[in-house]
Each structure stands twice: as C-alpha cells, then as structure tokens.
Amino acid sequence: MSLFDKFQPLSAAQSALSGTGPAAIATPIESVHSATRGSINGNEVILAGTNNYLGLTFDADVVDAAGAALRGLGSGTTGSRMANGSYDAHRALEQELAEAFGWPAAIVFSTGYQANLGALSTLVGRGEYLVLDSDSHASIYDGARLSHAETLRFRHNDPDNLDRRLARLGKDARRALIVVEGLYSMLGDQPPLEAFVEVKEKHGAWLLVDEAHSFGVFGNRGLGLTEACGLLDRVDFVVGTFSKSLAGLGGFCVSPHRQLDLMRLASRPYIFTASPSPATIAGTRKALQKLLGGQALRAQLHRNFQRFYAAAKELGYRLGSDIPGPVAAIILPDRETALAHWNGLLAAGVYANLMIPPATPSGLNLLRISLSAAHSDHDVDLLIAALTEMTVAA
Ligand code: PMP
C-alpha cells in the first residue's frame, strides 16, 4: 500500500497516450524562437497551441521594459503584497487596470488562478452562495472550495436554468455571486452575457465575469466580452489574467464597487503568497498599453480566426463553437482519433493542444487550435493546409 497507488489510473492513461514521437500531454518544447515558432523533437513548428492571443511575448518594448525592471529592481520581491511586496509599480498597474475599465478598484494577484481563488473565496462566505456555470475553469471550482459559501451549478450557458436556480433561493439570491467566463477555453464558446445580466438583475444577485481568454480579444479597447456587449455598467466584477493576451504571469480583479479594496485584508491567496516580480509587472504594464491601443492587433487576430473557422467548417470538422473565436476546438469521435490528428498536425509542422477528459467538458476529445495576432496570413494558410492534409489522410 503506497500513497502513490491512487495515481496509477492517471499514469496508465498518460502512458496510453505516448506513442513513438513526442508526448501529446506536457509536450517538451525545446525552445521558442518567436511568438509563433518553436522547436519540438528537433523540428521547427508553428505554435498554434498557446494562449498568446496578441502575440506580445516577443514584443521588443515589452521585453525591454521587463529587462530594465529586472536589472533595476531585482529578480523578485521576496514577499507578500501585505508585507514588503507592494512596490509603486504594483500599485501603478492596479491604477491602470482600474482606469481602463473606468472603475475605482483593481487588485493584482500573483496568477490568474489565484485571482479566481482570491476573489471567489473572499467575496462570498458562510451563509452566502456561489452560482457557477457547470463548465467553469478549475480555478473557479477551487475558489468555491476555499470559500465556505454554498455552491450551486447551472447548466452551461443556460440563463433559464440560472433563473430557476436563483428563483429557488428567493430573497437569498441577493447574497449570491454568479460566475461565468467571457470565453470558455476548451470549446471556445461564449456565454449569452446579456441574458445572464438580465437574470442577475431580476434577482438582485451579483455577477463576476472571468475574462481570462477574452481580455485583449473582444471589445474596442480589448477589455473583453463585457465591453464588446456594452455591459460594463451592469456587471460587478471582472477577473483576468496576465498570462494570455498580456503575455506575462499574474492576474487581476477589477470592480465598479470601491469596496473591492477591502478584499486585500482578507483574501488568503492574495496575502499568503509573494507578489509578482518587478519584471513581470513592468512587462505587463507595457503589454497593457499595447493591448488597450491594439485595435490593429485585434483586427489581425479576428481575420485569422474567421478564416480558420471557415476553413475547418468547409473541411467538415465539428467545432466546439458556432461563433468564431481565438480557440478553435475540433471535436473528434474518440481519444485515438484525436491523438492521431494531433500527431498528424505535428508531423505537418504544427503544434496544437490535445485535450481529453477529465480536462474537457462532456467527456469530449478535442484538438484545440489557438490563433494569435502574430500569425501572419501565410501562417494561417499553413495551418489550413496542415488541417487539409490531415483530413485527406484520415
Ligand atoms: N480562468 C480561466 C478561465 C482560465 O482558463 C485560466 C487559465 N487557463 C485561469 C483562470 C488561470 O489563469 P493563469 O494561468 O494566469 O493562472
């Protein structure tokens, strides 16, 4: 009897996925040369399995800002925001995020995961409610575990189902926090946000939108789906991450409620961890500037994903979303077919993500291709050609 016995099924599942080539899960990436190129198994590949939606990881200004902070302020803060880890730049970034939304309060966390953990576990507690979309990201479920609130789930993207859940709470719905995402990362689908806002208002509940994958992608200034839908004055909290469009590491929560600041006094994932390094903060501030003024980048990203979606549909693939977006999830009938497609793409010089249960909703086996503003028109041609080759081979 060993403490490690319980990992046996996971280990067996992982072994079943490794063929002769590179592993499809936690694929070793030998090096990365640019936002869209890297080396795997000795071959150069197009990176189409990252969250680098605006392609800013190699932006010269972002890299210079991070480098200057590294040299000027050192490699780490070595402490919590509540102790020695709150530098001027951390506060400046919070100010810039708040101003971008036109709201009074923003808090920076050390990762996006911790932003959800910190916000959810602190905003609601004993005697209050969390009402989650059933397809929510693990960080949302883990935030629910850390809070002592009663957690309810509603059917994915189904405002009527949410309405019924809240109706059952009666007056208590005013102590309920609903959580939805601006873009679901596995299937690439979007919520009917306005309908959710209407249900929240009907019941006097609160709404948090996790824009991890939609920040930088949607809305004229790139603030996310909430901005794109014209709903910035009707939601209570937005959570985001620095690790996708902002090309760094960290997370944030912003709110039109000034009292959000009080959370700093009680949020364990904010207090009991070191703050982001100076380089991380400096790079993120520069990337945020680029994101807010990044209409041209967004136009290229949208052109890329519109073309890719149209081509994938034309080839007869079933996609996880009817609305084109930066995540194109190709639904394949079983794990073996998904793995064969993943290997086929890699052989054609394209790195995508293989996503399988339990990481996926509804037990789906997915080939997840993510587009970036840094993909040129020619890169998208290459991605489509690789997908076509795979179809012919299948
Ligand atoms: N929320 C969602 C919806 C996510 O997909 C992710 C990361 N995949 C996170 C939060 C956590 O962000 P991070 O990776 O920056 O910790």
Side-chain angles (χ1 to χ4, degrees):
M1 184 69 186
S2 149
L3 289 180
F4 298 110
D5 286 351
K6 56 184 168 291
F7 302 114
Q8 213 41 53
L10 285 172
S11 167
Q14 188 181 29
S15 306
L17 280 172
S18 18
T20 46
I25 304 288
T27 311
I29 296 185
E30 287 149 9
S31 72
V32 170
H33 322 304
S34 73
T36 60
R37 293 292 186 281
S39 302
I40 294 177
N41 212 21
N43 300 316
E44 176 158 305
V45 292
I46 302 184
L47 300 172
T50 72
N51 303 302
N52 201 358
Y53 300 128
L54 295 183
L56 292 177
T57 47
F58 280 77
D59 180 275
D61 299 327
V62 171
V63 172
D64 284 352
L70 179 65
R71 284 185 295 277
L73 294 164
S75 58
T77 67
T78 76
S80 158
R81 289 297 301 279
M82 292 296 270
N84 59 307
S86 272
Y87 294 8
D88 278 359
H90 292 80
R91 292 177 191 284
L93 176 55
E94 288 175 338
Q95 184 82 29
E96 286 153 10
L97 284 163
E99 273 168 17
F101 281 82
W103 289 344
I107 301 184
V108 161
F109 292 84
S110 300
T111 64
Y113 177 86
Q114 281 164 295
N116 270 333
L117 230 55
L120 268 55
S121 66
T122 317
L123 286 169
V124 283
R126 225 175 286 285
E128 295 168 327
Y129 299 88
L130 263 175
V131 193
L132 311 182
D133 185 289
S134 57
D135 276 9
S136 289
H137 186 258
S139 57
I140 295 172
Y141 278 116
D142 293 354
R145 281 201 203 178
L146 198 61
S147 96
H148 295 282
E150 191 173 320
T151 302
L152 312 170
R153 290 202 281 177
F154 60 92
R155 228 180 288 134
H156 179 53
N157 279 351
D158 186 340
D160 292 335
N161 195 239
L162 172 66
D163 188 25
R164 288 196 292 278
R165 290 270 178 283
L166 292 176
R168 251 185 261 157
L169 292 182
K171 265 205 248 136
D172 281 348
R174 291 188 202 144
R175 288 185 282 129
L177 177 66
I178 306 157
V179 183
V180 299
E181 296 176 28
L183 179 79
Y184 286 86
S185 60
M186 287 297 138
L187 294 178
D189 54 333
Q190 299 169 29
L193 197 55
E194 184 159 11
F196 279 132
V197 166
E198 277 160 14
V199 173
K200 151 208 140 75
E201 288 173 347
K202 174 177 163 193
H203 295 277
W206 302 67
L207 177 64
L208 181 151
V209 186
D210 177 348
E211 301 264 23
H213 289 268
S214 34
F215 190 71
V217 173
F218 300 125
N220 183 43
R221 302 191 69 219
L223 298 178
L225 190 70
T226 312
E227 184 198 14
C229 297
L231 295 168
L232 281 173
D233 54 348
R234 293 171 69 188
V235 304
D236 298 288
F237 308 97
V238 165
V239 160
T241 172
F242 303 156
S243 70
K244 305 185 196 299
S245 282
L246 288 172
L249 181 67
F252 66 90
C253 180
V254 260
S255 174
H257 304 289
R258 189 173 297 284
Q259 303 96 312
L260 180 79
D261 251 357
L262 294 169
M263 232 168 56
R264 293 182 205 268
L265 305 173
S267 179
R268 298 170 70 86
Y270 173 79
I271 298 170
F272 295 103
T273 196
S275 63
S277 75
T280 299
I281 294 292
T284 302
R285 290 180 69 194
K286 187 52 82 179
L288 180 62
Q289 269 177 18
K290 303 232 164 187
L291 178 151
L292 295 172
Q295 286 81 4
L297 286 175
R298 270 184 288 288
Q300 175 72 29
L301 172 61
H302 284 239
R303 198 161 50 242
N304 290 349
F305 66 61
Q306 302 278 6
R307 279 186 60 215
F308 188 82
Y309 261 68
K313 274 191 195 160
E314 177 100 19
L315 289 168
Y317 283 111
R318 195 175 143 217
L319 292 172
S321 169
D322 289 333
I323 305 172
V327 173
I330 296 179
I331 302 174
L332 292 160
D334 49 52
R335 180 173 297 198
E336 291 66 37
T337 316
L339 181 60
H341 277 71
W342 184 84
N343 277 311
L345 270 192
L346 196 62
V350 175
Y351 169 72
N353 304 121
L354 177 70
M355 294 290 183
I356 55 171
T360 52
S362 317
L364 291 169
N365 292 284
L366 306 170
L367 189 64
R368 182 182 176 276
I369 291 152
S370 55
L371 285 306
S372 168
H375 286 130
S376 64
D377 291 343
H378 179 61
D379 287 343
V380 178
D381 289 341
L382 294 175
L383 294 178
I384 294 170
L387 202 63
T388 310
E389 231 171 86
M390 232 174 45
T391 318
V392 174

